[in-house]
């Protein structure tokens, strides 16, 4: 600052230091609401990597966060003996909401992306799914597992869901 006027200043902050600002009262549409989702995703991915090593100590199963169709957040693959060859075992999506239950509309929207896929889908979220949401998943024709994860204390349930999908 110089005197009473404020000069343009560029400030660099880590994403984790930002908080979403509600605009319309709907926390899902708040400016910057993606920040909480990104922070949540950064918590989940290392846990998945750790759990995969417990499920498969050989290290042949891995988590990748590269984008492939149809718009997932990660996929689990097995490295094959041929160089650079992999077999995708399941796709996954990591979902964050500021509500107590996950919005059904977002579940429906996400499942549409996977219509016709033959690989299982693991949906990890920080909130419970309503009964209606569970019915939508079960009638989707997809092999979908919904898993609530908030902290490392939920790792046993996440490990069981992941192991079940990979069998």
């Amino acid at each position: 600052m110089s005197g009473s006027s404020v000069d343009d200043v560029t400030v660099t902050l880590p994403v984790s230091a930002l908080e979403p600002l509600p605009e319309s009262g709907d926390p899902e549409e708040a400016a910057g609401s993606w920040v909480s989702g990104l922070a949540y995703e950064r918590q989940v991915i290392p846990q998945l990597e750790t759990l995969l090593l417990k499920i498969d100590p050989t290290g042949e199963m891995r988590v990748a966060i590269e984008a492939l169709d149809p718009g997932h957040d990660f996929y689990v693959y097995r490295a094959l003996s041929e160089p650079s060859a992999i077999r995708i075992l399941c796709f996954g999506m990591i979902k964050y909401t500021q509500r107590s239950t996950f919005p059904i509309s977002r579940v429906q929207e996400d499942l549409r992306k996977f219509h016709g896929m033959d690989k299982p889908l693991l949906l990890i979220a920080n909130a419970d799914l309503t009964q209606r949401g569970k019915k939508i998943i079960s009638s989707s024709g997809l092999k979908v597992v919904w898993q609530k994860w908030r902290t490392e204390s939920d790792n046993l349930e996440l490990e069981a869901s992941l192991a079940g999908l990979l069998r």
Side-chain angles (χ1 to χ4, degrees):
M1 292 177 51
S2 65
S4 62
S5 66
V6 176
D7 296 329
D8 286 342
V9 178
T10 300
V11 178
T12 304
L13 298 170
V15 170
S16 59
L18 302 175
E19 297 276 333
L21 177 65
E23 291 175 346
S24 64
D26 183 359
E28 298 300 324
E29 295 177 11
S33 60
W34 60 271
V35 172
S36 298
L38 182 60
Y40 178 68
E41 189 172 313
R42 288 184 175 174
Q43 289 178 313
V44 173
I45 293 293
Q47 299 304 314
L48 286 170
E49 291 169 339
T50 300
L51 295 174
L52 268 179
L53 277 174
K54 287 176 73 177
I55 294 167
D56 176 27
T58 67
E60 290 178 355
M61 280 194 243
R62 297 196 178 132
V63 176
I65 54 174
E66 298 125 14
L68 296 174
D69 288 337
H72 58 280
D73 295 316
F74 68 92
Y75 61 93
V76 176
Y77 69 94
R78 179 180 300 279
L80 301 174
S81 57
E82 302 166 24
S84 302
I86 65 168
R87 182 168 60 105
I88 295 176
L89 304 172
C90 78
F91 290 101
M93 298 190 81
I94 301 169
K95 296 295 176 188
Y96 181 84
T97 184
Q98 294 185 8
R99 300 177 182 184
S100 59
T101 58
F102 204 80
I104 295 168
S105 60
R106 286 182 60 198
V107 173
Q108 290 172 312
E109 178 184 318
D110 291 332
L111 290 179
R112 274 188 226 113
K113 297 175 190 175
F114 291 89
H115 183 72
M117 296 285 295
D118 63 343
K119 302 289 182 206
L121 176 62
L122 176 59
L123 288 173
I124 303 170
N126 67 319
D128 290 317
L129 192 60
T130 63
Q131 286 299 337
R132 183 167 174 235
K134 290 176 184 177
K135 286 179 184 176
I136 289 169
I137 285 177
S138 65
S139 65
S140 70
L142 301 168
K143 182 176 182 183
V144 180
V145 172
W146 178 274
Q147 182 60 55
K148 184 171 82 171
W149 187 92
R150 291 190 178 164
T151 66
E152 288 183 33
S153 64
D154 297 320
N155 277 2
L156 285 176
E157 291 86 3
L158 180 56
E159 181 181 354
S161 293
L162 189 56
L165 274 177
L166 300 176
R167 286 190 188 127

